């Protein structure tokens, strides 16, 4: 009797392991319709398919599981096996996280890709020390100025309520004499609706996602920088996967990176069109505004280089050689 029972249990165990399924959570801070989120959805579906359903990744969009600034620590601590972060949000922890947030250091898709290649080795190393794998990154479209009045120069931004999403965007606000307040994208629509915010710098993508056109009618297309989202994996969780599953994850990550950068570029133009259709004016910045913003960028690269030390210098040197 005992013998028979033991056999039955063994059969059950074998049966269970043949269908063993690993379930992961992947928190993000942006809405389900955002192109980064859609790309991540495709990535999760690709992993599901390639592993025959062995690794199921649930995407929790719109900061529903963790707020934007908490996602990195959640992946580090294993509360989430994966997560998407905005790298520049973590500049105060380590300056190199903020390299892609410096105005006019890399202000086109080609330059942003090169900067990423220059950043990648140190970025991966730093994250590895924290028990995190950098799976892939995707750039946001170029950043411009949303503002509730027309502006001819940076002086016109004096005293205005300025939304920041990162230390660098707060610093820009300070340098132009605006009043910076940090608000993540998930709370941005509400901040505009309640008058907490009159202006901010970001992409057409975020302008569209947050229905900024309902509150703010002007976008100055300064194309100042292209910050990146990074998709991270907890290293212990990765190590616990079997080799074929690990390979499937890495392959899907590579494909998501390629697809994401293409998507960002293509969608940028679509978003600007959609903003126009919804009543926003897309302005080419005046020569004065351009010069003013360039000056802000010059100050910020100087400040960043001083703070970033040898790690930062290594990234800049590698970037300049590309
Ligand atoms: N959108 C994000 C970060 C950069 C961007 O284009 C935001 O505004 O929060």
């Amino acid at each position: 009797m005992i013998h028979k029972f033991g056999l039955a249990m063994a059969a059950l165990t074998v049966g269970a392991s043949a269908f063993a399924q690993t379930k992961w959570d992947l928190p993000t801070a942006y809405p389900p319709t955002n192109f980064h989120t859609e790309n991540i959805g495709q990535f999760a579906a690709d992993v599901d398919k390639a592993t025959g359903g062995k690794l199921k990744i649930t995407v929790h969009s719109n900061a529903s599981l963790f707020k934007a600034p908490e996602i990195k620590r959640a992946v580090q601590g294993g509360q989430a096996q994966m997560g998407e972060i905005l790298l520049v949000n973590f500049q105060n922890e380590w300056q190199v996280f903020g390299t892609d947030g410096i105005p006019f250091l890399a202000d086109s898709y080609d330059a942003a890709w090169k900067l990423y290649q220059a950043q990648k080795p140190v970025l991966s190393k730093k994250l590895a020390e924290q028990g995190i794998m950098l799976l892939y990154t995707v750039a946001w479209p170029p950043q411009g100025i949303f503002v509730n009045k027309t502006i001819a120069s940076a002086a016109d931004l004096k005293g205005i309520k300025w939304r920041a999403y990162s230390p660098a965007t707060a610093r820009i606000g300070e340098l132009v004499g605006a009043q910076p307040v940090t608000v993540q994208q998930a709370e941005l629509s509400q901040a505009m609706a309640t008058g907490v915010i009159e202006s901010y710098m970001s992409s057409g993508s975020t302008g569209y996602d947050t229905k900024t056109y309902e509150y703010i009618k002007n976008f100055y297309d300064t194309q100042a920088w292209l910050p990146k989202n990074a998709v991270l994996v907890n290293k212990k969780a990765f190590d616990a996967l079997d080799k074929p599953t690990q390979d499937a994850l890495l392959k899907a990550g590579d494909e998501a990176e390629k697809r994401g950068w293409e998507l960002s570029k293509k969608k940028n133009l679509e978003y600007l069109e959609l903003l126009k259709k919804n009543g926003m004016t897309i302005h080419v910045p005046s020569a004065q505004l351009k010069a003013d913003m360039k000056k802000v960028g010059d100050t910020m690269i100087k400040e960043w280089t001083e703070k970033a030390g040898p790690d930062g210098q290594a990234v800049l040197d590698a970037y300049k050689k590309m």
Side-chain angles (χ1 to χ4, degrees):
M1 191 63 191
I2 289 165
H3 180 67
K4 248 172 137 182
F5 181 71
L7 271 180
M9 282 305 286
L12 262 178
T13 312
V14 169
S17 75
F19 293 104
Q21 195 181 65
T22 304
K23 288 190 174 174
W24 279 12
D25 291 310
L26 195 169
T28 83
Y30 304 101
T33 51
N34 173 267
F35 76 94
H36 288 289
T37 317
E38 286 177 348
N39 192 39
I40 289 173
Q42 177 71 55
F43 158 80
D46 289 350
V47 170
D48 190 333
K49 198 167 166 219
T51 63
K54 259 175 119 182
L55 180 56
K56 290 266 182 209
I57 300 171
T58 305
V59 180
H60 304 267
S61 62
N62 222 11
S64 58
L65 196 58
F66 294 99
K67 301 244 175 264
E70 296 165 358
I71 294 176
K72 180 168 172 285
R73 202 173 331 141
V75 176
Q76 193 168 346
Q79 289 89 355
Q81 294 78 14
M82 288 188 74
E84 182 197 38
I85 64 163
L86 176 64
L87 286 167
V88 296
N89 267 353
F90 301 91
Q91 180 174 354
N92 286 344
E93 181 192 322
W94 185 55
Q95 290 295 317
V96 175
F97 286 135
T99 317
D100 45 317
I102 304 167
F104 305 109
L105 177 63
D107 53 8
S108 67
Y109 279 97
D110 282 352
W113 177 259
K114 282 182 188 160
L115 183 60
Y116 171 37
Q117 302 315 307
Q119 237 180 329
K120 206 173 174 178
V122 279
L123 208 52
S124 300
K125 185 164 167 267
K126 178 73 173 186
L127 291 167
E129 285 163 16
Q130 303 180 334
I132 298 171
M133 275 174 60
L134 175 66
L135 187 62
Y136 73 89
T137 76
V138 173
W140 286 89
Q143 308 284 294
I145 307 171
F146 293 96
V147 54
N148 66 351
K149 60 174 188 179
T150 55
I151 56 169
S153 70
D156 291 336
L157 293 167
K158 276 218 168 68
I160 213 164
K161 293 175 203 156
W162 175 270
R163 174 254 177 173
Y165 61 72
S166 62
T169 48
R171 184 68 183 133
I172 296 172
E174 276 173 18
L175 288 169
V176 299
Q179 295 178 37
V181 37
T182 299
V183 178
Q184 290 307 322
Q185 184 173 324
E187 284 91 40
L188 181 53
S189 297
Q190 208 201 339
M192 288 186 288
T194 53
V196 172
I197 295 304
E198 299 166 321
S199 66
Y200 69 95
M201 285 190 82
S202 188
S203 58
S205 166
T206 292
Y208 184 70
D209 282 349
T210 59
K211 294 193 165 63
T212 291
Y213 46 80
E214 288 184 2
Y215 316 99
I216 291 176
K217 301 294 178 195
N218 301 288
F219 180 69
Y220 289 82
D221 194 9
T222 53
Q223 305 186 8
W225 71 94
L226 295 83
K228 293 186 292 292
N229 277 358
V231 173
L232 311 177
V233 186
N234 175 282
K235 183 67 165 62
K236 272 201 196 122
F238 181 82
D239 288 345
L241 300 173
D242 61 31
K243 182 76 168 61
T245 306
Q246 288 180 341
D247 290 346
L249 188 85
L250 295 176
K251 182 164 175 278
D254 279 349
E255 288 166 4
E257 180 164 274
K258 272 192 213 92
R259 190 174 58 232
W261 281 74
E262 284 304 314
L263 205 58
S264 178
K265 208 173 183 170
K266 182 172 146 267
K267 285 238 163 178
N268 177 36
L269 303 172
E270 291 176 18
Y271 286 129
L272 297 181
E273 279 309 311
L274 284 165
L275 291 178
K276 264 195 236 167
K277 261 200 199 118
N278 284 280
M280 198 176 273
T281 307
I282 312 293
H283 302 266
V284 175
S286 71
Q288 185 62 54
L289 180 59
K290 262 195 209 158
D292 291 345
M293 295 313 288
K294 182 73 179 51
K295 210 172 140 211
V296 166
D298 291 345
T299 303
M300 287 178 62
I301 184 84
K302 205 166 147 264
E303 290 176 350
W304 181 86
T305 311
E306 276 160 20
K307 279 193 203 157
D311 282 344
Q313 200 54 55
V315 172
L316 286 188
D317 291 347
Y319 174 56
K320 277 175 194 151
K321 273 189 213 136
M322 286 181 178

